[in-house]
Amino acid sequence: MNSVILRVGTRYLAGLLLVFSFYMMLRGHNEPGGGFIGGLTGATGFVLYAIACGTEDARAALRVLPQTIAIWGLGIALFAGVFAAAFGDALFTGQWLFIGATDDDKGLPLSTVLFFDIGVYLVVFGSILTLVFAMEEEV
Amino acid sequence: MNTFGLNIILAIAWVAFTGSVSLTGLITGFAIGYGALWLIQPLIGTSTYFSRVTAWIKLIIMFHYELILSSLEVAMDVLTPRHRARPAVIEMPLDVKTDTGILLVTNLISLTPGTLSLDVSEDRKTLLVHAMFADDHEAILHKLKNGMERWVIEAVEGAT
Amino acid sequence: MSWYLATPIVIPFVTAVLAFLLRRTHWGRWISVSGSTILLIASITLMSVVQRDGVIAAQMGGWPAPFGITLVADLLSAVMVLITAIVAVAVSIYAIADVDEGMERLGYHALFNMLIAGVVGAFITGDLFNLYVWFEVMLIASFGLLVLGGRPEQIDGGVKYVALNLVSTILFLTGIGLLYGMTGTLNLADLASAVDGADPRLLTVVAVLFMIAFGVKAAVFPLFFWLPASYHTPAFAVSAVFAGLLTKVGVYALLRMFTLIFDHDTAFTHTILLWVAALTMVVGVLGAAAQSDMRKILSFHIVSQIGYMILGLALLTPLALVGAVFYLVHHIVVKANLFLIAGVAKRIAGDTDLARIGGLYKSAPVLAILFVIPAFSLAGFPPLSGFWAKFLLVKAALEVEGWIVAGIALAVGLLTIYSMTKIWAQAFWEPHPEGVDPELSSLSGRDRAALLLPIAGLAVLTVIIGVMPEPFVRFAEESAAQLLDPSAYIAAVLGDPA
Amino acid sequence: MTEIIAGCLIILGGVFAVIGGLGLLRMPDVLIRMHASTKIGTLSCGLILAGCAVVFAEPDIIIRVIAIVLFILLTAPIGAHMMGRSVLSTGVALWQNEDIAQDRVEDALLREHDTPEEK
Amino acid sequence: MEFLFAITIGVLVSSAVYLMLSNNLLRFIFGLVLISNAANLTIFVSGRMTDGAPPLIPEGADAPLGDVANALPQALVLTAIVIGFGLFAFAIVLVFRAWTTLGSLTPDDMRLAEPDEVQK
Amino acid sequence: MAGGFPTDVRGNGAIGIVPVLFSAALFVYFASLVPTIAAGDILRASVPWVASLGIDFAFLVDGLSLTFALLISGIGTLVLLYSNTYLAGHPQYARFALFLTAFMVSMLGLVLADDLILLFVFWELTTLTSYMLIGFSHEAEKSRRNALQALFVTGAGGLAFLAGLILLAAATGTTSISGLIAMEEDIRQHAMYLPILILLLAGTFTKSAQVPFHFWLPNAMAAPTPVSAFLHSATMVKAGVYVMARLHPAMSGTDVWLWTLTIFGAVTAVFSSLLALRQTDLKQALAYTTLMALGTLTLFLGQESGYAMTAFGTFLIVHSLYKAALFLVVGCIDLSTGTRETDQLGGLGRLMPVTAFSAALAAFSMAGFPPFLGFIGKELKYAGALAVASEPLLVAGAVLLSNALMLAVAGVVAFRPFWRSSVPAGQSPREAPWQMWAGPLVLACLGALFGIYPDLLQVALINPTVVSLTGEIGEAKELQLWAGFNIPLILSVATFVLGLLIYAGHVRLRARLGSVLGGLPNLDTGWDRFLDGLKGFAKWQTRIVQNGKLSSYLFGTFLTIAAGILLTLVYTGMPTIAVDLSDVEWKHTSIAFLTIAGSLLVLATNSRIAAIAALGVVGIGIAMIFIVFSAPDVAITQLLVETLVVVLVAVVMLRLPALPRAEFRLGHAVLSLAVGAAVTLTVVSVVSNPLDLRLTEYFETTSWPEAYGRNIVNVILVDFRALDTFGEIAVVVIAALSAYALLRTTRKRGRE
Amino acid sequence: MSGFLELSLEIGFMCVVASVVLAFMRMIKGPSLQDRVVALDFMTVAIVAFCGLAAVRYRTSAFLDVALVLALVGFLATVALARFAERNIVRNRKDGTDD
Ligand code: NA
Ligand code: NA
């Protein structure tokens, strides 16, 4: 798309969307958001990029093959699920670690659930880009 | 704009101190950081940063004023039975250079009275503007260049 | 407990991920083979555990049923997983010779293993919505595998396959919504008792809705159109695994739902099923009689034989369910094998259209023997697995004085003989129209091994089931008993009320 | 008191929204309609969100509101620009105010070919 | 209230079915989108509808205060939406391929997999 | 097979010899059992097979089964010996020997089985192996057709037979043959007796080629001659007879049994011997005489009397001996002269003396001249016929006529080719190698031997057979050449006279018969018509059901859905519906209408953009529903997905053609409305009942304390129902990979 | 919550919904591709406002998140469709098809 305005706008928006998508994913456990929403938002950033600057640039910006990202995401989510079994629990049992937890404050929670959500994010992100890039290139 | 970067770092530091990871924390951190930097200005040497910020604030205010104005103007035309609009497409030469500048100019023009920026020529020299009330092209052009574009250039490119 | 049930799902996914990451190397296929072998071991373990301890269940995430998702395996689930693993091993070996590098680069092995994961998941989940999810995994993977290679007829078949399966999927989803809206639960075992509180009239309606949704998956009359439209188009390894497993997941779902949950008005629901079964058998077998392409004939026979399994469910007597289960197992082995053989025939004789090939009996006697076993097993000749399957169902039908269905079942068996002998006569006996002698030696040593090993293995299994049916029949009896009296199943999931 | 302000903002926003809709419906050609939708739409949205901010009066919310408005201010014109240029390049018929002197507008536009509108 | 949206679902389904029956793949896709929406809505409606109380637990509370909307159907719908999107994505690509490979969007003209007897 | 005998008479080496030795060993083994059985013992052996179905791997050796076993293994040995030369050097001889031996074993299993299901297993195995043998010269269209015909007819009978067996087992509660023979009364009294009998006879009549199911047997002569000798004279076709004999004690003695067997048997005997006379091909002629023999055997099994039983046992053996011999002889003639046409053959007597001798012996036995066993057999036949309870004359007449015809045929087949004067030119026939004349000679001589010393047979086999048929030894009648002046003797004389007359005039008679019988309906051509009809019907049905048109597939599917739900509602009656609109706000209504309007616009428009925009509206409307009804996460997802949907469609449409103008289809409209109505009705009635919220309550109370999440929906997604979510992201990945693969593969192809 | 705010919220909802309806009418009328897209774009903005109203009405900031996402992502559809409109006509000039 040979539009200066769009290209420039995209430069800001894409980054904005990406940052914003992380934000949405991380807060997901307590407020609206989560892996899907994050992944979808992040993906739209690069979709916009692809529309504005073409898929070559978008792929270059992404560096990694989107389908690889997706598969890794699946792997991470799977690991997060199986990880629990290492503690003798059932699969997909959340394992929590509260950094700096005090009696009144849970501190900074770190959990397999979060990992799982990250996996979800990557899957959605990677899959949508796989699809959109391929289609952009075909059309 | 390394001063700006410094300011950001200060904001983050503030967040770290207070431990409240929220936009509020970040903003307050930024504000306090800005104040701090302004105080220690002599140490970090003169920078356009501070004037730039004032320019930004001015731009934002002006812009909102324009936005309301434009909306009212269009609203009038919408509500009145006969159209007063005299649409025309005007080519406006661009002085602003940077991408950000161009983006801002076009966007702001789109959001201000009677004009809608359609396209920027490939050479980034001219901007196609659709004017709703194009009785006098020159007037419109003059208004745009001394209004929006100047403010933007001041804010973005720091020229005075 | 948790591991026994989880590994059969986890393994294919791990395999898929690895196979995809290494898709550009030649490792993919070996990962796929070893993955399915490990799956086989896992499923054997699962089976032995189930046989030892009875129905076992695991609560995912450690959340008690019915709140979390439960994985549960009774004998039926266990045997379905086992047979799936067997087919997976066979097909992944076959694929070494059948799937070209282009397809591998595009992630054939990943898709294949995801398909297996979906099938396994569907067999061992104890949660209705989770069942839907696994159906989707299976379905979308099958979409990909079906069109992989992108030949025009694949696209054409794919369009019909996708269109019709999407309809059934959405119907399934709607049904889940409605059933939840009536009972407030999704756990199958919990539903079994929860439905008693629901308005029976409404329940019957929802039951019919599920019947249709699963009916499409199981390819029963009048919902089977997608199957003969597409199964003859993809790679042979793919169509073999489709033929073996996909429709059977639908049958499994019907078996499960209509013994565990929708047993409140069998006079209505199972009478419908009886009609469906009869019509499916007949229409399918006649469809096969009209075809002249090996894979098309076999595809229509899938339909017709689904009818037999539904018949078992419809009669709902212990013996009938025994027959259904036995038929299910036998059919998967035999049908997958026949598609694999069709692939070899195509490789050495050049086509699957019976008019364009021949001479296999003369110049490829090994293949001939390997074909005769599953083909005549399919036709119900003793002492092969198919005979016992047919025998049990006919016996069951006669015992409840279902003269007509019994007659239909037998007549359809005769027409099955007709189709199988048609293939035999035109592909094996008849000389090749171009006078060539198709020989297995025309294949490279590796290909020959990769193609014939699985075929031989499945053939041996067919013979074993046929010659030593007792353990299988007894097994089928036990699983049928579990189906007819789900109290053990429910207890395993929800914990003993006592 | 704040609620009064908020209420007014909200009502005002609503009124502008309707005007925007009317403009979209009433204005004679695409570009002019875009004037309506872009500007008034943005404004009404901004007003309502402002009202929202006033009601909550929590910094967290206010910042979120500001972010929303900024996002819209950033995206809406870009979208408008895309539409505008597609209008130009496809040469959709543009409305001429009859009592206007035929100036470059014509050359600018009637250079574009006759109008392929949808049937 | 559910009644109102049951009607909506009905209309969505009807239009979807009509579109899917129209012998054109692009319309089929449109129908698909509609009917998936209808299915999602069905789950949502079946879980009953609560006005204006999202299933969120406020800070400091251990459980939602007062009646909040039924969270489970929401989770199911969310899952269903994403799955539906996956299916849709494949479907649209398939339609695209059907056009580029078979040169038609009219499924009834696609007879390569099942040619007429006369053609054979 | 024309062009004289194979030069390499050594045969096929080990592949040729081993089967011969194997079957010989079997024969010896069974022969060694003769004294035991003759002493009146019955041998049983049984191991459980399918215990849970009560099916045993059980065997039974008594007079009847031993007689068959000896015939099978004995003739089998000779036939295998014969074939080894007959097919010397044939590339597929190994398969031939394999199938023939396999057949022999199955046949033995069939006659020795003491379990109904086991018996059926072997029954089907004989069908299968014979299919392979009939189609042995598989490159000829004719053999393939006839093999299929035989398989289909006997297979069809077999399925009925199976049903009969299942019912019989159900009626008696056992599958053990010896077991159910003990309960003959219960069986005859049983309500299911008639259906059982009909089903069983359907099996046996087809297998034993009784008119009108006879047509497959002459066609089965497409098989190599040894096969015909073995299967279609001595053994397989007698399987049906065997089963009838085996069940005779249990099921005979009713009028149905009597009349069915008598009539079918008599008709078959007469009709087929007329047909036999009509044939000019030696093999065909023999085939029809086989039918005649089968008819006669069936006829006797209809009866109860000791005479009939003795006659059955004797004629069974007689026929097997001479018929096998004659087939083998014909094989020799065929190989040595290259033809089987009677009119082209003659004067072979001097050229092939041994063959001629065996042929003569066999023929005399067949014609029933003294002192051959055939004579005794015939005498007994008459005796048996006269002993028939009702209508003895009719039966006797039938037997007389058929015997006379048989005599004539014997002349035509075994006399004329050798002793007729003229020798057709262009052939140098010579004597067959010993491997090929040994068989016929032995068999024929046995015929003579038993004729002269009948009591050998009497003691060894006949009596035990009669015992297993009737139960008591006393029933067995004397086998003797000279029984004094009695009606049988007179009938015999009449037979000779009539037979010789027919033989004398058989050429003219043949023409006459041709014109008469030619008029009769020919089931063989009927078979072709049947197959064509089947194919035609199948094609017709498939054209309707599977017509390759997606639109009709979808129509069928949706029709099923609508009909399924609505008809069920009709059946169950309308569930309770409570429409509560009290809490509906105008907001809800307007959102609903917006959504509806959007979907209607998609329906109405012919513009793709309008359609997509309208889809967007629907999406927005539904998002608004999610917002108003407090599902923010869902709303966000919905909007994001909606956006992506629009983007994808917009991208794809860059290549797709415009929408065709939508023309209104009433049928579609009605169906769509029906489906919509069905769904609405169901949803409404579902929500009319209260919902059990215990799951939700659990989630609400545990979400924060146990899963540390405040957004319950998200907690459900990533914790309570994480497995769903995992499967779901798997779906997303697979969808992407599949779509990617689809896009790429085709592109690659496009380039190729 | 004071009666006035209640009232103003109701009015606000009414107005926003009304504007959406008006936009929908434009969407039906067309006539040009762009008209329809513009209408859709306007609806998106209206929904953002709608979310704001909902947030106030139900005192839940959650709906602002919906608005946030939509504000960022909504115009993507517009861009894609605009591009389509632009290329489409160019294509149609060639193959003469009308949308
Ligand atoms: Na302006
Ligand atoms: Na052929």
Side-chain angles (χ1 to χ4, degrees), chain C residues 354-355 357-358 426-427 430:
Chain C
L354 294 173
I357 61 175
Q426 295 188 24
E430 191 181 42

Side-chain angles (χ1 to χ4, degrees), chain F residues 225-525:
Chain F
T225 302
V227 174
S228 317
F230 194 35
L231 276 65
H232 306 123
S233 68
T235 56
M236 184 180 86
V237 288
K238 294 216 174 77
V241 174
Y242 167 80
V243 170
M244 286 189 273
R246 182 45 80 197
L247 297 175
H248 187 271
M251 304 197 70
S252 68
T254 61
D255 288 353
V256 195
W257 174 278
L258 171 68
W259 284 113
T260 325
L261 269 66
T262 311
I263 292 168
F264 273 87
V267 172
T268 308
V270 175
F271 181 69
S272 52
S273 35
L274 285 171
L275 286 173
L277 193 62
R278 202 188 138 191
Q279 306 303 321
T280 60
D281 179 315
L282 297 178
K283 231 173 134 182
Q284 288 294 327
L286 287 177
Y288 281 101
T289 58
T290 309
L291 286 175
M292 174 274 174
L294 296 167
T296 318
L297 290 167
T298 311
L299 175 63
F300 287 127
L301 285 173
Q303 324 302 325
E304 292 285 287
S305 73
Y307 272 111
M309 296 305 107
T310 320
F312 168 83
T314 322
F315 185 54
L316 177 71
I317 299 167
V318 179
H319 172 259
S320 302
L321 293 178
Y322 72 70
K323 183 56 60 68
L326 286 177
F327 263 111
L328 297 180
V329 165
V330 168
C332 295
I333 298 174
D334 190 0
L335 274 198
S336 100
T337 65
T339 178
R340 298 193 304 241
E341 284 297 313
T342 41
D343 304 342
Q344 300 174 18
L345 292 165
L348 295 172
R350 273 168 282 91
L351 300 167
M352 313 175 66
V354 189
T355 315
F357 177 65
S358 345
L361 293 187
F364 281 129
S365 186
M366 176 176 178
F369 286 115
F372 293 93
L373 186 57
F375 176 72
I376 303 175
K378 182 159 50 53
E379 297 287 298
L380 278 164
K381 278 199 230 162
Y382 288 125
L386 295 168
V388 169
S390 52
E391 308 297 337
L393 293 179
L394 183 151
V395 178
V399 175
L400 171 71
L401 181 54
S402 53
N403 277 330
L405 286 160
M406 192 120 86
L407 186 149
V409 176
V412 175
V413 174
F415 188 76
R416 214 149 156 277
F418 294 97
W419 311 114
R420 182 161 150 240
S421 55
S422 68
V423 185
Q427 293 175 1
S428 57
R430 49 192 179 77
E431 180 55 87
W434 71 269
Q435 294 96 329
M436 290 182 65
W437 54 249
L441 187 61
V442 172
L443 293 165
C445 292
L446 280 176
L449 179 69
F450 291 141
I452 301 159
Y453 304 106
D455 23 2
L456 287 175
L457 205 56
Q458 174 95 48
V459 180
L461 296 175
I462 303 299
N463 293 352
T465 307
V466 174
V467 173
S468 33
L469 282 169
T470 60
E472 59 266 39
I473 182 69
E475 287 289 341
K477 298 290 176 276
E478 274 294 300
L479 303 191
Q480 50 199 4
L481 277 171
W482 180 250
F485 274 109
N486 51 12
I487 314 173
L489 186 61
I490 299 164
L491 287 169
S492 292
V493 177
T495 312
F496 296 140
V497 177
L498 184 56
L500 291 169
L501 285 175
I502 297 175
Y503 174 61
H506 79 268
V507 181
R508 259 166 282 110
L509 197 57
R510 185 186 295 154
R512 184 70 41 73
L513 279 173
S515 57
V516 177
L517 298 175
L520 291 175
N522 177 354
L523 279 175
D524 187 37
T525 54

Side-chain angles (χ1 to χ4, degrees), chain F residues 156-236:
Chain F
L159 291 170
F161 188 55
L162 175 61
L165 293 177
I166 293 174
L167 288 174
L168 183 56
T172 58
T174 175
T175 60
S176 153
I177 294 174
S178 349
L180 62 88
I181 285 175
M183 329 179 177
E184 42 179 307
E185 277 317 308
D186 317 3
I187 297 174
R188 293 203 197 99
Q189 310 309 332
H190 199 281
M192 296 299 297
Y193 174 81
L194 188 59
I196 292 175
L197 182 64
I198 292 170
L199 288 167
L200 292 180
L201 291 184
T204 55
F205 282 1
T206 44
K207 192 94 168 172
S208 288
Q210 299 295 302
V211 174
F213 309 117
H214 63 290
F215 56 94
W216 67 267
L217 182 54
N219 291 335
M221 297 301 143
T225 302
V227 174
S228 317
F230 194 35
L231 276 65
H232 306 123
S233 68
T235 56
M236 184 180 86

